[in-house]
Amino acid sequence: MSAPPPVVAPSILAADFSRLAEEARAVEGVADWLHIDVMDNHFVPNLTIGLPVVTSLRAATDLPFDVHLMIDDPRRWAPGYADAGAYNVTFHAEASDNPVSLAKDLRAAGAKAGLAIDRDTPVEPYLELLPHFDTLLIMTIKAGFGGQKFIPAMLDKVAAARRHVDAGHLEVRIEVDGGIADDTIAQAAEAGADAFVAGTAVYSAADPAEAVRHLKALARRP
Ligand code: DX5
Ligand code: ZN
């Protein structure tokens, strides 16, 4: 079985929030997913958008939504994003006391289930949970803000996850998030990532669609 083609997901955290629908449409046809960072000012210090905005945006674009919940108490909120039509709903391992149960609920609600681990969290304790998940998001920065510098040491976690996924023939995307750009995406792909979030690299570019195209070309697994 050949590896599925890489997925690039522009993060709207770096977009103009007063023009979210237009910013989403600017990458339609070339982006695979639209990455939506939900932050609650508790799990992370930053505060972004919630369910009402995501619901409105859902009606404005055909792009699959990759919702990244950086929130406390994901059990309370995550299923709402699945009900709102998100393609994938990712919550943080650090915020959940029963990740497998929530993953089952998300799948039952029709979404893919994603597990995220932050910069200071090891991946090993979570590898055995992966059969219950569709996506493993490995932060390549400390979660909370866009525009931070990629941390190469995080790629050890990516490589460990890739070995586990391949050995078990699991159908799990390994997603990296934070500082992904022209100069970092190839090393993340080489370590085994096959889904790539890019905020600043896409939305600070003069032509966001062209930036996504370029990143996709660089992300092809060697
Ligand atoms: C930060 C978010 C990221 C952020 C990445 O906690 O999870 O998705 O948008 O932004 P860049 O690509 O600028 O590092
Ligand atoms: Zn994110």
Side-chain angles (χ1 to χ4, degrees):
M1 204 174 67
S2 61
V7 160
V8 171
S11 166
I12 57 162
L13 188 61
D16 177 348
F17 271 33
S18 74
R19 303 171 52 254
L20 278 185
E22 293 94 320
E23 296 275 66
R25 287 187 203 117
V27 293
E28 267 178 13
V30 50
D32 300 282
W33 303 340
L34 191 69
H35 185 84
I36 300 180
D37 288 304
V38 173
M39 305 188 190
D40 67 350
N41 178 231
H42 289 271
F43 181 73
V44 290
N46 204 357
L47 180 67
T48 56
I49 59 171
L51 194 48
V53 177
V54 173
T55 301
S56 296
L57 192 59
R58 183 57 291 171
T61 173
D62 292 334
L63 282 168
F65 283 1
D66 177 35
V67 174
H68 177 192
L69 299 175
M70 282 160 277
I71 62 171
D72 281 343
D73 200 4
R75 167 155 296 284
R76 178 170 176 191
W77 300 106
Y81 291 88
D83 294 340
Y87 169 75
N88 178 78
V89 181
T90 290
F91 60 92
H92 268 264
E94 303 85 2
S96 171
D97 51 13
N98 194 342
V100 170
S101 162
L102 183 48
K104 285 181 180 162
D105 288 351
L106 289 169
R107 284 176 162 182
K112 306 272 189 206
L115 185 69
I117 56 169
D118 206 350
R119 182 193 63 188
D120 300 328
T121 304
V123 72
E124 282 76 13
Y126 299 101
L127 294 176
E128 68 191 45
L129 309 188
L130 290 183
H132 300 279
F133 286 90
D134 305 285
T135 315
L136 173 67
L137 187 157
I138 296 176
M139 294 302 304
T140 40
I141 54 168
K142 172 82 179 151
F145 297 92
Q148 301 182 66
K149 200 171 171 320
F150 176 79
I151 305 169
M154 297 295 108
L155 295 182
D156 292 349
K157 294 194 241 183
V158 173
R162 171 53 60 200
R163 284 193 295 274
H164 187 84
V165 164
D166 286 354
H169 304 288
L170 302 176
E171 282 185 36
V172 179
R173 286 272 181 193
I174 301 176
E175 185 172 14
V176 283
D177 184 4
I180 298 297
D182 285 6
D183 57 344
T184 55
I185 194 166
Q187 36 181 311
E190 203 167 327
D194 62 357
F196 305 86
V197 177
T200 307
V202 169
Y203 282 111
S204 69
D207 182 344
E210 185 50 39
V212 174
R213 226 172 265 124
H214 189 54
L215 287 168
K216 282 185 91 155
L218 294 170
R220 297 222 169 82
R221 285 277 285 286

